[in-house]
mmCIF file of all heavy atoms in Angstrom:
data_model
loop_
_atom_site.group_PDB
_atom_site.id
_atom_site.type_symbol
_atom_site.label_atom_id
_atom_site.label_comp_id
_atom_site.label_asym_id
_atom_site.label_seq_id
_atom_site.Cartn_x
_atom_site.Cartn_y
_atom_site.Cartn_z
ATOM 1 N N ALA A 23 -31.452 9.927 80.278
ATOM 2 C CA ALA A 23 -32.627 9.838 81.154
ATOM 3 C C ALA A 23 -33.780 10.671 80.616
ATOM 4 O O ALA A 23 -34.939 10.236 80.647
ATOM 5 C CB ALA A 23 -32.259 10.310 82.577
ATOM 6 N N LEU A 24 -33.486 11.867 80.111
ATOM 7 C CA LEU A 24 -34.528 12.714 79.532
ATOM 8 C C LEU A 24 -35.133 12.073 78.291
ATOM 9 O O LEU A 24 -36.356 12.068 78.127
ATOM 10 C CB LEU A 24 -33.965 14.092 79.191
ATOM 11 C CG LEU A 24 -33.759 15.028 80.386
ATOM 12 C CD1 LEU A 24 -32.823 16.170 80.007
ATOM 13 C CD2 LEU A 24 -35.082 15.556 80.884
ATOM 14 N N LEU A 25 -34.285 11.543 77.414
ATOM 15 C CA LEU A 25 -34.813 10.916 76.201
ATOM 16 C C LEU A 25 -35.660 9.687 76.554
ATOM 17 O O LEU A 25 -36.717 9.470 75.958
ATOM 18 C CB LEU A 25 -33.670 10.532 75.254
ATOM 19 C CG LEU A 25 -34.089 9.908 73.924
ATOM 20 C CD1 LEU A 25 -34.972 10.875 73.119
ATOM 21 C CD2 LEU A 25 -32.880 9.505 73.113
ATOM 22 N N ALA A 26 -35.229 8.909 77.544
ATOM 23 C CA ALA A 26 -36.004 7.739 77.974
ATOM 24 C C ALA A 26 -37.360 8.153 78.503
ATOM 25 O O ALA A 26 -38.392 7.536 78.188
ATOM 26 C CB ALA A 26 -35.230 6.949 79.033
ATOM 27 N N ALA A 27 -37.419 9.212 79.308
ATOM 28 C CA ALA A 27 -38.696 9.673 79.861
ATOM 29 C C ALA A 27 -39.608 10.208 78.747
ATOM 30 O O ALA A 27 -40.811 9.930 78.729
ATOM 31 C CB ALA A 27 -38.455 10.742 80.922
ATOM 32 N N ALA A 28 -39.050 10.977 77.831
ATOM 33 C CA ALA A 28 -39.837 11.478 76.697
ATOM 34 C C ALA A 28 -40.341 10.335 75.828
ATOM 35 O O ALA A 28 -41.487 10.331 75.394
ATOM 36 C CB ALA A 28 -39.016 12.463 75.865
ATOM 37 N N THR A 29 -39.490 9.336 75.623
ATOM 38 C CA THR A 29 -39.856 8.162 74.826
ATOM 39 C C THR A 29 -41.000 7.403 75.476
ATOM 40 O O THR A 29 -41.947 6.984 74.798
ATOM 41 C CB THR A 29 -38.625 7.251 74.631
ATOM 42 O OG1 THR A 29 -37.620 7.995 73.938
ATOM 43 C CG2 THR A 29 -38.988 6.018 73.831
ATOM 44 N N ASP A 30 -40.945 7.227 76.802
ATOM 45 C CA ASP A 30 -42.026 6.539 77.522
ATOM 46 C C ASP A 30 -43.356 7.270 77.328
ATOM 47 O O ASP A 30 -44.389 6.642 77.079
ATOM 48 C CB ASP A 30 -41.708 6.435 79.006
ATOM 49 C CG ASP A 30 -40.626 5.402 79.309
ATOM 50 O OD1 ASP A 30 -40.293 4.587 78.418
ATOM 51 O OD2 ASP A 30 -40.103 5.431 80.445
ATOM 52 N N ARG A 31 -43.304 8.600 77.416
ATOM 53 C CA ARG A 31 -44.537 9.392 77.183
ATOM 54 C C ARG A 31 -45.053 9.176 75.771
ATOM 55 O O ARG A 31 -46.265 9.018 75.543
ATOM 56 C CB ARG A 31 -44.255 10.871 77.400
ATOM 57 C CG ARG A 31 -44.240 11.299 78.812
ATOM 58 C CD ARG A 31 -44.104 12.802 78.907
ATOM 59 N NE ARG A 31 -44.360 13.220 80.267
ATOM 60 C CZ ARG A 31 -44.612 14.462 80.623
ATOM 61 N NH1 ARG A 31 -44.618 15.417 79.719
ATOM 62 N NH2 ARG A 31 -44.821 14.766 81.878
ATOM 63 N N MET A 32 -44.153 9.224 74.801
ATOM 64 C CA MET A 32 -44.557 9.060 73.394
ATOM 65 C C MET A 32 -45.144 7.687 73.166
ATOM 66 O O MET A 32 -46.174 7.557 72.475
ATOM 67 C CB MET A 32 -43.370 9.319 72.491
ATOM 68 C CG MET A 32 -42.927 10.756 72.461
ATOM 69 S SD MET A 32 -41.399 10.974 71.520
ATOM 70 C CE MET A 32 -40.914 12.610 72.039
ATOM 71 N N ARG A 33 -44.534 6.660 73.704
ATOM 72 C CA ARG A 33 -45.049 5.289 73.561
ATOM 73 C C ARG A 33 -46.462 5.185 74.134
ATOM 74 O O ARG A 33 -47.312 4.525 73.562
ATOM 75 C CB ARG A 33 -44.144 4.302 74.283
ATOM 76 C CG ARG A 33 -43.214 3.578 73.372
ATOM 77 C CD ARG A 33 -42.669 2.327 74.073
ATOM 78 N NE ARG A 33 -41.257 2.237 73.762
ATOM 79 C CZ ARG A 33 -40.273 2.579 74.575
ATOM 80 N NH1 ARG A 33 -40.510 3.026 75.789
ATOM 81 N NH2 ARG A 33 -39.029 2.459 74.194
ATOM 82 N N SER A 34 -46.702 5.851 75.279
ATOM 83 C CA SER A 34 -48.021 5.776 75.896
ATOM 84 C C SER A 34 -49.099 6.458 75.037
ATOM 85 O O SER A 34 -50.277 6.237 75.238
ATOM 86 C CB SER A 34 -48.003 6.354 77.305
ATOM 87 O OG SER A 34 -47.873 7.753 77.280
ATOM 88 N N TYR A 35 -48.675 7.259 74.072
ATOM 89 C CA TYR A 35 -49.602 7.880 73.125
ATOM 90 C C TYR A 35 -49.539 7.221 71.760
ATOM 91 O O TYR A 35 -49.931 7.820 70.753
ATOM 92 C CB TYR A 35 -49.318 9.394 73.013
ATOM 93 C CG TYR A 35 -49.902 10.152 74.178
ATOM 94 C CD1 TYR A 35 -49.220 10.267 75.389
ATOM 95 C CD2 TYR A 35 -51.151 10.737 74.094
ATOM 96 C CE1 TYR A 35 -49.754 10.936 76.469
ATOM 97 C CE2 TYR A 35 -51.704 11.411 75.167
ATOM 98 C CZ TYR A 35 -51.002 11.505 76.338
ATOM 99 O OH TYR A 35 -51.549 12.157 77.422
ATOM 100 N N GLY A 36 -49.024 6.000 71.714
ATOM 101 C CA GLY A 36 -49.065 5.209 70.495
ATOM 102 C C GLY A 36 -47.901 5.367 69.532
ATOM 103 O O GLY A 36 -47.952 4.840 68.418
ATOM 104 N N ALA A 37 -46.842 6.051 69.926
ATOM 105 C CA ALA A 37 -45.706 6.210 69.017
ATOM 106 C C ALA A 37 -44.934 4.915 68.874
ATOM 107 O O ALA A 37 -44.663 4.226 69.877
ATOM 108 C CB ALA A 37 -44.786 7.312 69.500
ATOM 109 N N HIS A 38 -44.595 4.566 67.665
ATOM 110 C CA HIS A 38 -43.727 3.410 67.405
ATOM 111 C C HIS A 38 -42.435 3.827 66.727
ATOM 112 O O HIS A 38 -41.524 3.052 66.576
ATOM 113 C CB HIS A 38 -44.442 2.312 66.607
ATOM 114 C CG HIS A 38 -45.154 2.841 65.396
ATOM 115 N ND1 HIS A 38 -44.534 3.169 64.241
ATOM 116 C CD2 HIS A 38 -46.483 3.096 65.211
ATOM 117 C CE1 HIS A 38 -45.423 3.614 63.364
ATOM 118 N NE2 HIS A 38 -46.607 3.577 63.930
ATOM 119 N N ASP A 39 -42.376 5.090 66.312
ATOM 120 C CA ASP A 39 -41.171 5.698 65.737
ATOM 121 C C ASP A 39 -40.933 7.010 66.453
ATOM 122 O O ASP A 39 -41.872 7.607 67.018
ATOM 123 C CB ASP A 39 -41.329 5.970 64.235
ATOM 124 C CG ASP A 39 -41.356 4.707 63.424
ATOM 125 O OD1 ASP A 39 -40.432 3.895 63.553
ATOM 126 O OD2 ASP A 39 -42.329 4.530 62.646
ATOM 127 N N GLN A 40 -39.690 7.476 66.399
ATOM 128 C CA GLN A 40 -39.333 8.732 67.042
ATOM 129 C C GLN A 40 -38.421 9.508 66.113
ATOM 130 O O GLN A 40 -37.494 8.922 65.534
ATOM 131 C CB GLN A 40 -38.645 8.439 68.367
ATOM 132 C CG GLN A 40 -38.416 9.636 69.251
ATOM 133 C CD GLN A 40 -37.831 9.183 70.581
ATOM 134 O OE1 GLN A 40 -36.850 8.440 70.625
ATOM 135 N NE2 GLN A 40 -38.455 9.596 71.673
ATOM 136 N N ARG A 41 -38.638 10.799 65.999
ATOM 137 C CA ARG A 41 -37.833 11.640 65.112
ATOM 138 C C ARG A 41 -37.284 12.833 65.889
ATOM 139 O O ARG A 41 -37.799 13.263 66.898
ATOM 140 C CB ARG A 41 -38.685 12.153 63.970
ATOM 141 C CG ARG A 41 -39.317 11.036 63.146
ATOM 142 C CD ARG A 41 -39.940 11.509 61.873
ATOM 143 N NE ARG A 41 -40.757 10.584 61.161
ATOM 144 C CZ ARG A 41 -40.485 9.341 60.828
ATOM 145 N NH1 ARG A 41 -39.385 8.807 61.199
ATOM 146 N NH2 ARG A 41 -41.321 8.602 60.131
ATOM 147 N N VAL A 42 -36.220 13.394 65.319
ATOM 148 C CA VAL A 42 -35.647 14.628 65.828
ATOM 149 C C VAL A 42 -35.072 15.396 64.647
ATOM 150 O O VAL A 42 -34.565 14.782 63.696
ATOM 151 C CB VAL A 42 -34.559 14.362 66.915
ATOM 152 C CG1 VAL A 42 -33.351 13.630 66.335
ATOM 153 C CG2 VAL A 42 -34.117 15.647 67.588
ATOM 154 N N GLU A 43 -35.216 16.710 64.672
ATOM 155 C CA GLU A 43 -34.591 17.557 63.662
ATOM 156 C C GLU A 43 -33.537 18.399 64.357
ATOM 157 O O GLU A 43 -33.838 19.079 65.330
ATOM 158 C CB GLU A 43 -35.620 18.451 62.965
ATOM 159 C CG GLU A 43 -34.987 19.248 61.849
ATOM 160 C CD GLU A 43 -35.977 19.820 60.872
ATOM 161 O OE1 GLU A 43 -37.173 19.543 60.986
ATOM 162 O OE2 GLU A 43 -35.534 20.575 59.988
ATOM 163 N N LEU A 44 -32.318 18.318 63.856
ATOM 164 C CA LEU A 44 -31.209 19.037 64.458
ATOM 165 C C LEU A 44 -30.944 20.340 63.670
ATOM 166 O O LEU A 44 -31.172 20.373 62.466
ATOM 167 C CB LEU A 44 -29.952 18.149 64.465
ATOM 168 C CG LEU A 44 -30.135 16.831 65.200
ATOM 169 C CD1 LEU A 44 -28.910 15.953 65.038
ATOM 170 C CD2 LEU A 44 -30.433 17.075 66.660
ATOM 171 N N PRO A 45 -30.464 21.377 64.336
ATOM 172 C CA PRO A 45 -30.267 22.671 63.680
ATOM 173 C C PRO A 45 -29.137 22.701 62.635
ATOM 174 O O PRO A 45 -29.108 23.587 61.803
ATOM 175 C CB PRO A 45 -29.925 23.630 64.827
ATOM 176 C CG PRO A 45 -30.456 22.965 66.034
ATOM 177 C CD PRO A 45 -30.356 21.491 65.800
ATOM 178 N N ALA A 46 -28.201 21.775 62.711
ATOM 179 C CA ALA A 46 -27.048 21.817 61.800
ATOM 180 C C ALA A 46 -26.671 20.411 61.344
ATOM 181 O O ALA A 46 -26.864 19.437 62.075
ATOM 182 C CB ALA A 46 -25.866 22.469 62.496
ATOM 183 N N GLU A 47 -26.149 20.326 60.138
ATOM 184 C CA GLU A 47 -25.714 19.052 59.580
ATOM 185 C C GLU A 47 -24.647 18.385 60.439
ATOM 186 O O GLU A 47 -24.668 17.192 60.660
ATOM 187 C CB GLU A 47 -25.156 19.266 58.161
ATOM 188 C CG GLU A 47 -25.796 18.368 57.137
ATOM 189 C CD GLU A 47 -25.298 18.650 55.759
ATOM 190 O OE1 GLU A 47 -25.699 19.683 55.178
ATOM 191 O OE2 GLU A 47 -24.513 17.835 55.254
ATOM 192 N N LYS A 48 -23.712 19.169 60.917
ATOM 193 C CA LYS A 48 -22.625 18.645 61.766
ATOM 194 C C LYS A 48 -22.933 18.985 63.223
ATOM 195 O O LYS A 48 -22.101 19.546 63.939
ATOM 196 C CB LYS A 48 -21.285 19.211 61.318
ATOM 197 C CG LYS A 48 -20.911 18.739 59.930
ATOM 198 C CD LYS A 48 -19.556 19.218 59.521
ATOM 199 C CE LYS A 48 -19.287 18.716 58.100
ATOM 200 N NZ LYS A 48 -17.947 18.942 57.671
ATOM 201 N N ASP A 49 -24.121 18.646 63.640
ATOM 202 C CA ASP A 49 -24.611 18.989 64.968
ATOM 203 C C ASP A 49 -23.793 18.267 66.055
ATOM 204 O O ASP A 49 -23.531 17.084 65.930
ATOM 205 C CB ASP A 49 -26.086 18.582 65.065
ATOM 206 C CG ASP A 49 -26.777 19.279 66.183
ATOM 207 O OD1 ASP A 49 -26.537 18.916 67.337
ATOM 208 O OD2 ASP A 49 -27.561 20.196 65.898
ATOM 209 N N PRO A 50 -23.432 18.975 67.126
ATOM 210 C CA PRO A 50 -22.675 18.333 68.208
ATOM 211 C C PRO A 50 -23.475 17.267 68.942
ATOM 212 O O PRO A 50 -22.904 16.417 69.618
ATOM 213 C CB PRO A 50 -22.289 19.478 69.128
ATOM 214 C CG PRO A 50 -23.085 20.654 68.708
ATOM 215 C CD PRO A 50 -23.579 20.414 67.330
ATOM 216 N N ALA A 51 -24.807 17.256 68.810
ATOM 217 C CA ALA A 51 -25.631 16.233 69.470
ATOM 218 C C ALA A 51 -25.739 14.957 68.630
ATOM 219 O O ALA A 51 -26.251 13.938 69.111
ATOM 220 C CB ALA A 51 -27.026 16.790 69.734
ATOM 221 N N LEU A 52 -25.232 14.986 67.428
ATOM 222 C CA LEU A 52 -25.360 13.841 66.525
ATOM 223 C C LEU A 52 -24.797 12.536 67.110
ATOM 224 O O LEU A 52 -25.437 11.492 67.030
ATOM 225 C CB LEU A 52 -24.734 14.164 65.170
ATOM 226 C CG LEU A 52 -25.021 13.197 64.057
ATOM 227 C CD1 LEU A 52 -26.503 12.931 63.898
ATOM 228 C CD2 LEU A 52 -24.449 13.761 62.760
ATOM 229 N N PRO A 53 -23.590 12.558 67.725
ATOM 230 C CA PRO A 53 -23.100 11.305 68.320
ATOM 231 C C PRO A 53 -24.037 10.725 69.382
ATOM 232 O O PRO A 53 -24.224 9.514 69.463
ATOM 233 C CB PRO A 53 -21.747 11.694 68.941
ATOM 234 C CG PRO A 53 -21.312 12.891 68.138
ATOM 235 C CD PRO A 53 -22.587 13.623 67.790
ATOM 236 N N PHE A 54 -24.665 11.584 70.160
ATOM 237 C CA PHE A 54 -25.635 11.131 71.161
ATOM 238 C C PHE A 54 -26.793 10.413 70.470
ATOM 239 O O PHE A 54 -27.168 9.295 70.843
ATOM 240 C CB PHE A 54 -26.136 12.323 71.999
ATOM 241 C CG PHE A 54 -27.321 11.984 72.860
ATOM 242 C CD1 PHE A 54 -27.160 11.288 74.040
ATOM 243 C CD2 PHE A 54 -28.603 12.371 72.491
ATOM 244 C CE1 PHE A 54 -28.262 10.963 74.856
ATOM 245 C CE2 PHE A 54 -29.695 12.069 73.274
ATOM 246 C CZ PHE A 54 -29.525 11.362 74.461
ATOM 247 N N TYR A 55 -27.389 11.070 69.469
ATOM 248 C CA TYR A 55 -28.547 10.493 68.825
ATOM 249 C C TYR A 55 -28.206 9.205 68.062
ATOM 250 O O TYR A 55 -29.000 8.253 68.091
ATOM 251 C CB TYR A 55 -29.242 11.512 67.912
ATOM 252 C CG TYR A 55 -30.022 12.531 68.696
ATOM 253 C CD1 TYR A 55 -29.594 13.847 68.800
ATOM 254 C CD2 TYR A 55 -31.192 12.182 69.369
ATOM 255 C CE1 TYR A 55 -30.306 14.784 69.547
ATOM 256 C CE2 TYR A 55 -31.910 13.095 70.097
ATOM 257 C CZ TYR A 55 -31.459 14.405 70.196
ATOM 258 O OH TYR A 55 -32.179 15.303 70.934
ATOM 259 N N THR A 56 -27.067 9.147 67.434
ATOM 260 C CA THR A 56 -26.695 7.899 66.738
ATOM 261 C C THR A 56 -26.450 6.786 67.758
ATOM 262 O O THR A 56 -26.834 5.633 67.522
ATOM 263 C CB THR A 56 -25.478 8.105 65.803
ATOM 264 O OG1 THR A 56 -24.372 8.592 66.529
ATOM 265 C CG2 THR A 56 -25.818 9.012 64.651
ATOM 266 N N ARG A 57 -25.856 7.103 68.898
ATOM 267 C CA ARG A 57 -25.666 6.120 69.954
ATOM 268 C C ARG A 57 -27.012 5.618 70.489
ATOM 269 O O ARG A 57 -27.147 4.467 70.904
ATOM 270 C CB ARG A 57 -24.839 6.726 71.082
ATOM 271 C CG ARG A 57 -24.275 5.717 72.055
ATOM 272 C CD ARG A 57 -23.249 6.285 73.023
ATOM 273 N NE ARG A 57 -23.785 7.367 73.855
ATOM 274 C CZ ARG A 57 -23.481 8.669 73.707
ATOM 275 N NH1 ARG A 57 -22.662 9.083 72.770
ATOM 276 N NH2 ARG A 57 -24.008 9.578 74.512
ATOM 277 N N MET A 58 -28.017 6.457 70.428
ATOM 278 C CA MET A 58 -29.361 6.098 70.895
ATOM 279 C C MET A 58 -30.158 5.340 69.815
ATOM 280 O O MET A 58 -31.312 5.005 70.019
ATOM 281 C CB MET A 58 -30.147 7.331 71.333
ATOM 282 C CG MET A 58 -29.569 8.041 72.554
ATOM 283 S SD MET A 58 -29.729 7.037 74.028
ATOM 284 C CE MET A 58 -28.046 6.716 74.420
ATOM 285 N N GLY A 59 -29.543 5.109 68.657
ATOM 286 C CA GLY A 59 -30.189 4.300 67.618
ATOM 287 C C GLY A 59 -30.860 5.082 66.511
ATOM 288 O O GLY A 59 -31.540 4.495 65.659
ATOM 289 N N PHE A 60 -30.680 6.389 66.462
ATOM 290 C CA PHE A 60 -31.270 7.187 65.393
ATOM 291 C C PHE A 60 -30.466 7.034 64.112
ATOM 292 O O PHE A 60 -29.228 6.989 64.151
ATOM 293 C CB PHE A 60 -31.318 8.676 65.788
ATOM 294 C CG PHE A 60 -32.385 9.016 66.787
ATOM 295 C CD1 PHE A 60 -32.209 8.738 68.136
ATOM 296 C CD2 PHE A 60 -33.569 9.615 66.396
ATOM 297 C CE1 PHE A 60 -33.181 9.052 69.081
ATOM 298 C CE2 PHE A 60 -34.546 9.940 67.325
ATOM 299 C CZ PHE A 60 -34.349 9.654 68.676
ATOM 300 N N GLY A 61 -31.168 6.968 62.983
ATOM 301 C CA GLY A 61 -30.540 6.910 61.672
ATOM 302 C C GLY A 61 -30.997 8.090 60.846
ATOM 303 O O GLY A 61 -32.068 8.666 61.071
ATOM 304 N N SER A 62 -30.225 8.430 59.872
ATOM 305 C CA SER A 62 -30.455 9.625 59.053
ATOM 306 C C SER A 62 -31.657 9.467 58.114
ATOM 307 O O SER A 62 -31.820 8.454 57.439
ATOM 308 C CB SER A 62 -29.219 9.936 58.225
ATOM 309 O OG SER A 62 -29.449 11.053 57.413
ATOM 310 N N LEU A 63 -32.457 10.524 58.062
ATOM 311 C CA LEU A 63 -33.524 10.672 57.063
ATOM 312 C C LEU A 63 -33.158 11.785 56.086
ATOM 313 O O LEU A 63 -33.939 12.106 55.212
ATOM 314 C CB LEU A 63 -34.855 11.016 57.748
ATOM 315 C CG LEU A 63 -35.479 9.977 58.656
ATOM 316 C CD1 LEU A 63 -36.707 10.546 59.337
ATOM 317 C CD2 LEU A 63 -35.832 8.731 57.876
ATOM 318 N N GLY A 64 -32.014 12.394 56.300
ATOM 319 C CA GLY A 64 -31.560 13.541 55.520
ATOM 320 C C GLY A 64 -30.491 14.236 56.327
ATOM 321 O O GLY A 64 -30.108 13.774 57.406
ATOM 322 N N PRO A 65 -30.000 15.376 55.869
ATOM 323 C CA PRO A 65 -28.894 16.021 56.549
ATOM 324 C C PRO A 65 -29.166 16.402 58.017
ATOM 325 O O PRO A 65 -28.265 16.374 58.833
ATOM 326 C CB PRO A 65 -28.604 17.258 55.716
ATOM 327 C CG PRO A 65 -29.444 17.170 54.505
ATOM 328 C CD PRO A 65 -30.443 16.084 54.688
ATOM 329 N N THR A 66 -30.411 16.782 58.313
ATOM 330 C CA THR A 66 -30.691 17.227 59.689
ATOM 331 C C THR A 66 -31.860 16.492 60.345
ATOM 332 O O THR A 66 -32.222 16.791 61.487
ATOM 333 C CB THR A 66 -30.985 18.749 59.736
ATOM 334 O OG1 THR A 66 -32.128 19.025 58.902
ATOM 335 C CG2 THR A 66 -29.773 19.562 59.274
ATOM 336 N N ARG A 67 -32.458 15.518 59.673
ATOM 337 C CA ARG A 67 -33.585 14.758 60.210
ATOM 338 C C ARG A 67 -33.107 13.355 60.571
ATOM 339 O O ARG A 67 -32.451 12.697 59.758
ATOM 340 C CB ARG A 67 -34.743 14.636 59.219
ATOM 341 C CG ARG A 67 -35.485 15.896 58.937
ATOM 342 C CD ARG A 67 -36.467 16.318 59.968
ATOM 343 N NE ARG A 67 -37.621 15.449 60.100
ATOM 344 C CZ ARG A 67 -38.412 15.471 61.158
ATOM 345 N NH1 ARG A 67 -38.160 16.253 62.177
ATOM 346 N NH2 ARG A 67 -39.442 14.690 61.240
ATOM 347 N N TRP A 68 -33.470 12.887 61.754
ATOM 348 C CA TRP A 68 -33.047 11.599 62.243
ATOM 349 C C TRP A 68 -34.255 10.851 62.825
ATOM 350 O O TRP A 68 -35.200 11.483 63.330
ATOM 351 C CB TRP A 68 -31.954 11.768 63.297
ATOM 352 C CG TRP A 68 -30.738 12.386 62.681
ATOM 353 C CD1 TRP A 68 -30.537 13.707 62.394
ATOM 354 C CD2 TRP A 68 -29.614 11.719 62.159
ATOM 355 N NE1 TRP A 68 -29.339 13.885 61.768
ATOM 356 C CE2 TRP A 68 -28.741 12.675 61.605
ATOM 357 C CE3 TRP A 68 -29.227 10.374 62.133
ATOM 358 C CZ2 TRP A 68 -27.530 12.330 61.027
ATOM 359 C CZ3 TRP A 68 -28.012 10.029 61.558
ATOM 360 C CH2 TRP A 68 -27.183 11.010 60.999
ATOM 361 N N SER A 69 -34.222 9.528 62.770
ATOM 362 C CA SER A 69 -35.373 8.735 63.202
ATOM 363 C C SER A 69 -34.887 7.410 63.780
ATOM 364 O O SER A 69 -33.815 6.906 63.431
ATOM 365 C CB SER A 69 -36.289 8.489 62.012
ATOM 366 O OG SER A 69 -37.372 7.657 62.366
#
């Protein structure tokens, strides 16, 4: 729900891509972000 609300705000400001940088390569939030459609841009950057 939080990601959806943040995404709606970003879209209203013209965003067509979304990124996140995680603190660790084996971040415990990684399964959440991959389930939400994020793909790797490097060890800790996802888009």
Side-chain angles (χ1 to χ4, degrees):
L24 284 163
L25 183 61
T29 299
D30 287 346
R31 280 186 168 195
M32 290 174 195
R33 260 198 222 101
S34 72
Y35 281 84
H38 48 77
D39 290 306
Q40 189 175 51
R41 303 190 191 311
V42 64
E43 184 163 355
L44 303 174
E47 232 177 286
K48 295 183 181 189
D49 199 287
L52 192 52
F54 169 78
Y55 284 109
T56 57
R57 195 170 59 254
M58 295 292 115
F60 285 78
S62 178
L63 294 175
T66 60
R67 290 282 292 162
W68 296 80
S69 177

